[in-house]
Structure formats: C-alpha cells, structure tokens
Amino acid sequence: MFFSGNQDALPKIYKIGDIVRFHRIKIQKYNNEFQGISSSGFSALVFEGIIDAPLVPRTSSKSYNFTTEDQKAVETLRSWQLRLPNISSSRQHLSNVQPGQYFDLLCQLVGKAEIDKASYLLKVWDGTKCAFLPWKVYVEDDALEGDRDAINRLQGFTIDVLVYDNHLALAKSLKIGSYIVIQNVHAKLHSTPIENPGHDTYVEFHLHGGTCYGRGMSVPPEDNSDVKELKNVLDALDLQQNQTLNPVLDIQLAGQMSPSFDALEGCQQLSVTVVSSHQQWQITPLASIITKNAPQKFHVRVKLRSFQPHPLYQSVKLYCSKCHSLLDSPDEQSLNKIFEDFYNCSPNTSAPNTFWYQSAIWNTVNLDNRTVAIHFVKKYDILQSPEDSLIMVEGGSFKQICKLSSQFNTIIPVKSKEEHLEIDLSAPFLIQGNKWLYGCKKCSNIKSLEELKSLSLKGGWDVTEIAEALGVELLRHLFVMNFTLEDETGSLNAYLWQHSEQFFRIPPSDILMDSNLQERLHEIMNVLCPPEKQMSDFPWMDCCIRSYNANNEGKEQICYEIFDTFISMPHLN
C-alpha cells in the first residue's frame, strides 16, 4: 500500500506483468498478515515485463542507482513470467468486451468534449470493433475537439467513454492522437426506451469517479512496447480501410453495381452519406414520418430524387444571425457591376498619407485606363510584407481585386467621401484569399476606418476583430438547398442548411471564388442525383432529419431539415 500527496510519486503501473523495484519499502504486519507500505524517502522503478523491452524505468526520481544485479533481476523476472500459464489481466480489446464487464483498455484518443461540469467525453478506438453496438453520446459539433474527418472515418470503430469526477482534469488535458490506458472502464448495458424497442443491444462505457480497483487513466510513453504494437495495428488498419473503401465507391460511381444490402461487411447497405451521431436510432420510413407531429428527429435511408436550386451557385446564401435576413450571394456579374459603380466615385489621388496608412496610386493604362488607389495599413508604425498586410483598395475592378487578394493578406474595398475613406456594404466588406465576406446593411453601425488604428498593435488581422472595430455585423455564408427524398414508402422535401463544412465537406464561404471546390460540388451532386439514370441506380443516403413547425404566409405547415449528416466519398475528399 503506497501513500503520497503527489500522484506522480506513486509507481507508474500500466498493466499486470510490469516489474517493479521498490526503494525504502517498509514491511509490517496488518491483521496478522505481512504488508508492504511506503515510508519516508520511498521511490520506485517500473519496467515493462516483456522480453527484450528497453531497460528504461518509469520513475519520478531525479536520480537512482541501477546495478548489474538489478538488470539481471529484471531479465530473470521477465523470463519467469513467460513460463507462467496466463497472468490474469483485466486489459481487453473492444471486440472481447461483454456488457456488465469492468476492464482496462489501451486505446488512441481521436476526439473529446465537455458534456457538463461533472462529465467529460473521450472518443477512442483500439482497432477492433465492439461486438455490441456502442452507445453514442450526443455532442454539438462546435463542442467536439478533434480531426472531424478522422472521427467520421473511424466512427465504426470508436466508442464514447464518459469520465467523471476526479478524472475530469486529466481527461481535459489529454491531447488528441495520444495513446492512453483507461483502467476499470464499465461496459454498461444500455436500457432501450420503451417507446422505441428494438432487437439490437447497445453498450455504454463509463469511467466512474474514485480510484477503487485501480480506476483511472494514464498516458504511457510512446516507446512503450504495447503502444508501439497498437500504433502498428492502427496504421495498418487505417491503410487497409482506405484501400478497401475506395474501390467499392469507384465501382458504384461508375455504375457497375447498385447499392447492396451486403455490399460492405458490418453495414446494412452501401451509402454515400454517413450520420455523425444517432447511429443507434432505428430507420423510420418516410410514409411514417409525414404522419407524425413536429418537432421530432428521425434516421432515414433514402435516395435523392431531385434538388433545387439550379444552377448550383445559387445555393450559396448570406445569412444575418441578428435580423435573420437571407440574401443571395453576389455572383461574378453582380460583383463586376458593384465595383464599376465604385469606380464612378473616382479615387482621391491627392489624399495625403496618414500616420496609420500609406497610399500609392496605380495607373492601369495598358489594361482599362483605370486609376486605383491602394492604402497600406501600418502595423507597429511600419509597413508589412504583402502576405501580412491589410490594404484598402479604392477604384479597383473585380479582376484587379481578385489578383490583389492572391498577394495580400486582407483587402477592404473603400470609397472616398469628402477627403475621407469609408466602406460601402453594397460590396464585400473584407476579402481574405477565397473568402469574400459581407456585412448586414440593416444591423451594422458603421464606424470610421480610423478605428483600425486600435488593431495596429496586435498580431495578425482577425476578421471578427476588424468587423467589431468598424461596427459591421458579419453575414454568414450558407448552403441552402431543397432535397426531394424518396424511399420505398413515399417521399418528402427536406431543406439543407449548411453553415459549416459538415454535409458537403466544403466551406460555403470559399466556394464562389474557388473553381476546384465548385467542380467538387458538381461531382457530389452528380453522384447523389445522377443525370440520365433510373431511380433504381441512384445511391442510398443515410440521413438524420428533423421536423419543425413553420408559418408560410399565415399558413401553418410542417417542414423538414437534414442535420448531423455528411458525405462519405473518399475519392472526392
């Protein structure tokens, strides 16, 4: 029995079979049995019990003696351990776990999220699949830390472990991608709700509070033999997954096979979409959904019969979260007209430099005989290199601003008014690379551009900080589409509102200025709703949809929206 106010001073045991050398252990009698306890100056060296593993101890001691005799003792114990029948170990692979069992797990962390002040979620995998369906904990997208692509790709392998109480601090400090040992995990049988009975068995995973039975977590070093072995397994499995999924999808996309209920082992049928959570929900027929009151959530397996709008670029909208305005995003023709109108307010070529920006005049005689004024905003009272610079552009055409956006970090289109510069929200408020950002005319309270001086002593040009300084209420880019979904029982219309990269894995703020992303969106839609094909050849889609009540010109109606769903097409990612 070892006691210390500092957990790091206790022996770092990762599994049964580790070899320990104790220093200053006290032997005493307790209840008529011999017992070893820690005493003043106690320390320990811990070695792996595996033959030929490095003789590098785990210890918190800054200095220690390790003699030749100690080395022989470790090697002797390693050899002796090999001759034992089977050392009873509670460490298990997920594929061997049974409901009700308590076990230790060596795994890799792929995601984490704070659920509330008393519980924390760890998303982990060990390369094997649980024999029972793991219960998935609902987490908002913004709250989940980790590589979203990796989490989505591995969702058939990962389990959600909820940790509590004294384990929270360590859980929060864990780094994504690290290998961890979780001791005394409880595989608890999930009780299926009476209103949604099913034949599947779901298992929840919990690390309860306290330290009984060795309960806790630890992070083994990367040179640990078990960690190396797990890493090799996961790397090989990851490669294998990529090699097996791509050909299947390529065959399907080429029209050489239709989605089949037996197409992939472990899947009910091949689907070109995946739900990011709620996999445990039973699939509901569309004919049943349209008879139910709103609001409710459902898991469906459907085909995309048709979609709107055409052309696809019209699906990109601008949304104000303050007044809920939904506007069309300007296309290239509209932007050309906007900047032509800007040029009619000719730039003030005689405007003097100021202490916070320096101006230059660009005469495009060989192009369109246009005069463009560029105002370079200083940072720390000095001009920056182009890749770090914010410039205010006056009189530039759409094509010229596109060219400048590839060279300068941030661009703000401006106009002259009574010897002062000002922004006009008819045009993009700010441009960073392929992101052309707009402000809400109704909700913005435009301030003087001189407010940028307050940011001149900060590092970088942050969009949110610039908008706040200039009183601009930013509009968010959205994909807004109407899908007609169909299954064997019926059809319904569902909206897709995507303000992040979730469904298409394409940022809506970038697509209008990136031809590669536009081409990818066309490819995705041609896969989901292939032209000149029969519905029987359309791919299946696993989706989550929710119903809600809406008022359309005074008439109450139930509408449907797709959520927690994303495209799974490796050859397009």
Side-chain angles (χ1 to χ4, degrees), residues 242-468:
N242 288 330
Q243 288 173 340
T244 55
L245 282 177
N246 281 330
V248 172
L249 283 172
D250 288 343
I251 292 172
Q252 180 197 344
L253 297 173
Q256 297 178 24
M257 66 175 285
S258 298
S260 165
F261 283 90
D262 300 317
L264 285 177
E265 181 181 356
C267 298
Q268 293 182 346
Q269 62 190 67
L270 190 61
S271 171
V272 291
T273 59
V274 178
V275 294
S276 55
S277 55
H278 321 304
Q279 296 94 337
Q280 71 275 12
W281 289 358
Q282 289 186 335
I283 292 174
T284 306
L286 296 185
S288 175
I289 292 174
I290 60 178
T291 64
K292 298 181 183 297
N293 295 327
Q296 293 193 53
K297 297 180 180 180
F298 308 94
H299 181 189
V300 299
R301 183 167 287 115
V302 294
K303 295 183 178 184
L304 178 61
R305 188 172 72 190
S306 62
F307 65 90
Q308 292 290 339
H310 297 281
L312 277 174
Y313 73 82
Q314 293 180 356
S315 65
V316 182
K317 305 293 184 183
L318 299 172
Y319 173 71
C320 178
S321 57
K322 199 168 184 179
C323 67
H324 306 297
S325 300
L326 190 66
L327 309 171
D328 290 331
S329 187
D331 57 14
E332 184 172 336
Q333 183 178 353
S334 302
L335 289 169
N336 269 318
K337 177 70 167 58
I338 289 170
F339 287 112
E340 280 302 318
D341 292 344
F342 264 41
Y343 181 67
N344 291 333
C345 304
S346 300
N348 184 0
T349 56
S350 61
N353 294 325
T354 72
F355 74 92
W356 64 279
Y357 69 79
Q358 185 172 320
S359 303
I361 303 301
W362 176 20
N363 294 305
T364 61
V365 178
N366 296 330
L367 297 175
D368 50 9
N369 198 27
R370 181 186 292 263
T371 300
V372 181
I374 302 178
H375 310 282
F376 299 84
V377 178
K378 298 177 182 179
K379 209 160 189 62
Y380 305 107
D381 293 329
I382 59 175
L383 297 176
Q384 306 294 300
S385 58
E387 63 271 17
D388 298 321
S389 291
L390 184 153
I391 61 173
M392 300 180 293
V393 179
E394 192 181 356
S397 68
F398 170 67
K399 289 185 177 179
Q400 290 165 348
I401 288 182
C402 285
K403 185 175 181 180
L404 289 169
S405 68
S406 66
Q407 301 173 23
F408 292 90
N409 180 286
T410 304
I411 297 175
I412 298 179
V414 296
K415 296 195 303 187
S416 285
K417 184 178 181 181
E418 299 176 357
E419 298 186 356
H420 292 286
L421 299 177
E422 64 177 20
I423 59 176
D424 186 334
L425 295 184
S426 300
F429 149 65
L430 182 142
I431 300 163
Q432 283 188 342
N434 288 326
K435 287 184 171 63
W436 290 50
L437 305 177
Y438 297 81
C440 180
K441 294 182 180 179
K442 187 186 299 184
C443 300
S444 297
N445 182 20
I446 303 300
K447 300 176 184 177
S448 168
L449 281 164
E450 291 195 3
E451 296 296 327
L452 289 175
K453 293 184 294 184
S454 64
L455 306 179
S456 64
L457 298 180
K458 294 185 177 181
W461 296 107
D462 181 77
V463 171
T464 304
E465 290 182 351
I466 295 173
E468 288 178 356

Side-chain angles (χ1 to χ4, degrees), residues 141 278 281 286 289 294-300 478-483 485 492-500 502-503 543-550 558-565:
D141 287 340
H278 321 304
W281 289 358
L286 296 185
I289 292 174
Q296 293 193 53
K297 297 180 180 180
F298 308 94
H299 181 189
V300 299
L478 299 176
F479 281 120
V480 180
M481 304 180 75
N482 189 356
F483 285 3
L485 306 176
L492 59 76
N493 292 326
Y495 289 103
L496 175 72
W497 289 69
Q498 181 194 334
H499 57 79
S500 63
Q502 186 179 18
F503 186 83
C543 300
C544 287
I545 63 173
R546 55 181 156 222
S547 60
Y548 60 95
N549 294 303
I558 295 178
C559 297
Y560 302 92
E561 176 188 0
I562 296 172
F563 74 102
D564 281 358
T565 306

Side-chain angles (χ1 to χ4, degrees), residues 4-170:
S4 175
N6 178 12
Q7 186 174 343
D8 291 336
L10 297 173
K12 293 177 174 57
I13 306 296
Y14 295 143
K15 70 174 184 178
I16 294 174
D18 281 352
I19 295 170
V20 189
R21 191 196 78 173
F22 299 123
H23 179 65
R24 289 189 180 273
I25 185 173
K26 180 181 179 182
I27 308 297
Q28 65 180 21
K29 270 200 169 185
Y30 180 77
N31 287 343
N32 293 322
E33 291 185 355
F34 283 109
Q35 179 189 64
I37 65 169
S38 52
S39 62
S40 177
F42 168 82
S43 64
L45 304 181
V46 185
F47 300 86
E48 292 185 66
I50 300 172
I51 292 287
D52 295 330
L55 282 168
V56 179
R58 304 190 288 266
T59 182
S60 60
S61 299
K62 295 181 180 179
S63 62
Y64 57 86
N65 292 321
F66 188 67
T67 65
T68 305
E69 289 185 2
D70 290 329
Q71 180 176 335
K72 288 180 180 178
V74 171
E75 292 171 347
T76 299
L77 287 169
R78 285 176 173 176
S79 300
W80 170 74
Q81 187 173 195
L82 281 178
R83 299 194 297 271
L84 298 179
N86 274 325
I87 293 184
S88 175
S89 174
S90 56
R91 186 177 292 184
Q92 298 286 345
H93 291 298
L94 289 176
S95 56
N96 297 326
V97 172
Q98 298 293 316
Q101 185 177 9
Y102 287 83
F103 65 100
D104 298 345
L105 178 67
L106 173 64
C107 53
Q108 185 185 34
L109 180 68
V110 297
K112 64 178 186 176
E114 185 173 21
I115 303 302
D116 52 43
K117 292 183 178 180
S119 59
Y120 204 84
L121 168 68
L122 301 179
K123 234 176 230 300
V124 299
W125 74 312
D126 74 347
T128 68
K129 281 192 175 182
C130 196
F132 300 87
L133 292 174
W135 185 260
K136 298 296 182 180
V137 179
Y138 175 74
V139 180
E140 294 289 346
D141 287 340
D142 295 341
L144 185 61
E145 296 181 41
D147 184 328
R148 195 53 51 91
D149 287 340
I151 292 172
N152 291 333
R153 179 164 45 85
L154 299 175
Q155 65 172 336
F157 289 89
T158 57
I159 64 168
D160 290 356
V161 181
L162 282 174
V163 304
Y164 304 93
D165 303 336
N166 55 300
H167 311 298
L168 293 181
L170 178 55

Side-chain angles (χ1 to χ4, degrees), residues 535-560:
M535 275 292 291
S536 58
D537 296 325
F538 283 27
W540 288 99
M541 299 167 51
D542 273 330
C543 300
C544 287
I545 63 173
R546 55 181 156 222
S547 60
Y548 60 95
N549 294 303
N551 189 304
N552 185 9
E553 297 180 351
K555 183 181 178 181
E556 292 289 335
Q557 64 182 82
I558 295 178
C559 297
Y560 302 92

